[in-house]
Amino acid sequence: MTVTAPRLKHEVKDLALAPLGRQRIDWAGREMPVLKQIRDRFEQEKPFAGLRLVACAHVTTETAHLAIALKAGGADAVLIASNPLSTQDDVAACLVSDYGIPVFAIKGEDAQTYSRHVQIALDHRPNIIIDDGSDVVATLVQERQHQIADLIGTTEETTTGIVRLRAMLNDGVLTFPAMNVNDADTKHFFDNRYGTGQSTLDGIIRATNILLAGKTIVVAGYGWCGKGTALRARGLGANVIVTEIDPIKAIEAVMDGFRVLPMSEAAPQGDIFITVTGNKHVVRGEHFDAMKDGAIVCNSGHFDIELDLKYLASQAKEIKVVRPFTEQYVLQNGKSVIVLGEGRLVNLAAAEGHPSAVMDMSFANQALACEYLVKNQGKLSPGLYSIPKEVDQEIAQLKLQALGIAIDTLTVAQIEYINSWQSGT
Ligand code: ADE
């Protein structure tokens, strides 16, 4: 039986924003040569012809290039937002107007609209799902088991989504192949580290316009995102304190030259707090209570659960918007705490997310992961799959080529040497 998906329209803020979106998408393309090469090949080979695809991602200029590449490859693609505050409305408008891609995403959409868009995406009956945070996949598993038969597989962009997929695997509910894009080297070494590092500080600066030199910045979490954020904060002259729960990562932070403290001790010292842990209530009541007057808190982890803002609101006599994406919680104890981007990803809420040059590699992984799923349709058993090493290497090679950087190759003698064990000292 052939099931035809209902015809989808779009839900974007204002189609009149399309020309601005076009200009910004074109600009981003200058830094995305790897994805461009993949798109050109997809245009010829049409690997997704006849397939329905849903992408749930931050709707940015970079995501636009991914969506355009997938459409060029023949996909019947629909795009929805993976976060209520990360959509660039001009980009959403341009994808609808100029590229005919149905987009359901409006910056500032409420939770109900966000969930409705997830349902609309699933109404498309996807054969492939690109997810960022696993909201579409989790909804499919919980509410639309009957549609799993349509699915070739899914791809996941971010650490939080991978944690959720692993939990699904442990619970025995991951009954289809899922590609782990986040853990590809050409993804997390660059996107999580340099992308989050730069864009998080960009978000804080755009939201507040404050000088970071000389400030004490507390970075909660020393995964790849935390490493990049701490590195760039130090680069701007801040004194950086790292908090961790993992002893190995804590030693790494110490040996990278950072002070490591429990949050309870960091709380009264910090001027700015940035959470990048993926866990909930990393900054909570006891920490807010201990903070200096005027402390700034923000989050760059996937979900808005890292700061216990319900507690903060319960202590506030007033919450005032003092600048775009900047709210002052005036507390009953006489102090204020400043919250950026409503505790959502500050780099996407108050700035434009990771720069295009890193998303080039992340989205090259996404595009090739989708192609891999299609090429291996029927051969992959349910589970979480790494991006094949050759794909990762190819993306790195293409990026180097595009940057005009040549590297050495092994000599025959060197290949023999590393493949032998007989000769030592
Ligand atoms: N995640 C972080 N930054 C991003 C960007 N610029 N585009 C899409 N997803 C992102």
Side-chain angles (χ1 to χ4, degrees):
M1 186 181 71
T2 323
V3 182
T4 42
R7 273 198 85 67
L8 293 159
K9 292 191 188 142
H10 59 262
E11 244 176 73
V12 300
K13 183 163 184 211
D14 182 359
L15 287 180
L17 296 170
L20 175 61
R22 182 61 179 257
Q23 219 175 35
R24 294 180 57 252
I25 292 169
D26 289 349
W27 176 257
R30 294 159 50 107
E31 293 267 279
M32 303 186 78
V34 178
L35 190 58
K36 172 72 170 65
Q37 280 199 39
I38 294 169
R39 169 183 163 187
D40 291 346
R41 181 170 64 73
F42 280 0
E43 188 110 50
Q44 300 299 314
E45 298 176 6
K46 303 280 179 213
F48 309 117
L51 295 177
R52 294 183 299 275
L53 186 148
V54 159
C56 173
H58 302 295
V59 179
T60 63
T61 51
E62 293 77 24
T63 300
H65 283 281
L66 175 63
I68 293 164
L70 297 165
K71 184 160 183 186
D76 175 5
V78 167
L79 176 61
I80 62 166
S82 61
N83 185 291
L85 262 192
S86 62
T87 298
Q88 297 171 5
D89 290 315
D90 54 344
V91 170
C94 174
L95 285 173
V96 171
S97 289
D98 296 9
Y99 292 96
I101 297 174
V103 181
F104 296 81
I106 300 170
K107 186 162 181 138
E109 64 193 30
D110 61 21
Q112 265 177 343
T113 307
Y114 179 82
S115 305
R116 190 166 51 74
H117 288 167
V118 170
Q119 296 294 342
I120 288 173
L122 286 170
D123 287 346
H124 190 48
R125 302 191 69 93
N127 307 116
I128 301 172
I129 297 171
I130 295 178
D131 220 347
D132 186 338
S134 240
D135 278 347
V136 175
V137 171
T139 308
L140 176 81
V141 167
Q142 290 172 98
E143 298 174 22
R144 302 227 191 173
Q145 277 288 323
H146 59 284
Q147 279 186 228
I148 291 176
D150 293 341
L151 203 62
I152 298 172
T154 70
T155 69
E156 175 51 54
E157 171 77 4
T158 200
T159 317
T160 294
I162 296 301
V163 170
R164 288 178 92 184
L165 287 174
R166 289 219 168 92
M168 285 183 212
L169 196 60
N170 289 339
D171 277 355
V173 296
L174 188 69
T175 54
F176 42 84
M179 301 296 295
N180 180 347
V181 168
N182 182 66
D183 290 356
D185 289 348
T186 46
K187 200 278 183 182
H188 67 273
F189 283 159
F190 305 96
D191 168 315
N192 301 29
R193 180 169 38 177
Y194 304 118
T196 307
Q198 177 168 321
S199 62
T200 298
L201 293 162
D202 185 15
I204 294 169
I205 293 167
R206 290 197 207 192
T208 63
N209 196 29
I210 60 166
L211 180 74
L212 300 183
K215 296 282 192 308
T216 296
I217 298 189
V218 179
V219 177
Y222 205 64
W224 289 106
C225 295
K227 286 181 176 66
T229 304
L231 187 69
R232 292 301 182 243
R234 177 162 64 192
L236 286 165
N239 301 304
V240 179
I241 297 174
V242 169
T243 72
E244 247 305 334
I245 48 90
D246 177 332
I248 298 174
K249 292 193 178 125
I251 303 173
E252 254 188 300
V254 169
M255 296 212 180
D256 285 344
F258 298 110
R259 270 201 300 155
V260 174
L261 292 176
M263 186 58 87
S264 55
E265 287 177 38
Q269 300 188 37
D271 299 304
I272 301 169
F273 295 79
I274 307 168
T275 52
V276 264
T277 71
N279 215 327
K280 70 185 286 194
H281 296 177
V282 176
V283 178
R284 49 187 178 268
E286 68 211 71
H287 307 131
F288 286 124
D289 289 347
M291 283 178 190
K292 296 181 196 172
D293 182 26
I296 295 171
V297 296
C298 64
N299 166 52
S300 219
H302 186 78
F303 287 122
D304 62 343
I305 36 83
E306 303 209 16
L307 309 170
D308 184 0
L309 292 184
K310 280 210 178 92
Y311 172 85
L312 197 61
S314 76
Q315 302 303 302
K317 19 181 216 210
E318 194 185 358
I319 303 174
K320 308 190 262 197
V321 175
V322 287
R323 287 171 59 90
F325 309 109
T326 306
E327 287 173 309
Q328 180 181 6
Y329 284 60
V330 184
L331 305 179
Q332 280 146 16
N333 66 12
K335 293 193 285 189
S336 282
V337 173
I338 313 293
V339 178
L340 307 184
E342 299 171 21
R344 298 195 183 276
L345 288 155
V346 70
N347 60 339
L348 283 141
E352 293 171 65
H354 302 351
S356 318
V358 291
M359 295 314 295
D360 188 27
M361 289 189 284
S362 308
F363 286 162
N365 274 289
Q366 284 287 4
L368 296 182
C370 291
E371 188 183 35
Y372 181 84
L373 283 170
V374 174
K375 281 192 171 154
N376 290 284
Q377 184 175 3
K379 294 187 216 149
L380 302 172
S381 34
L384 192 55
Y385 288 83
S386 300
I387 300 297
K389 198 80 213 151
E390 318 80 72
V391 172
D392 222 351
Q393 294 270 331
E394 184 195 333
I395 292 170
Q397 276 297 353
L398 290 174
K399 190 72 176 174
L400 282 171
Q401 252 171 37
L403 294 170
I405 296 169
I407 59 170
D408 287 326
T409 48
L410 292 171
T411 63
V412 174
Q414 285 173 326
I415 293 172
E416 272 170 22
Y417 178 77
I418 50 164
N419 287 313
S420 68
W421 54 269
Q422 289 88 348
S423 53
T425 45

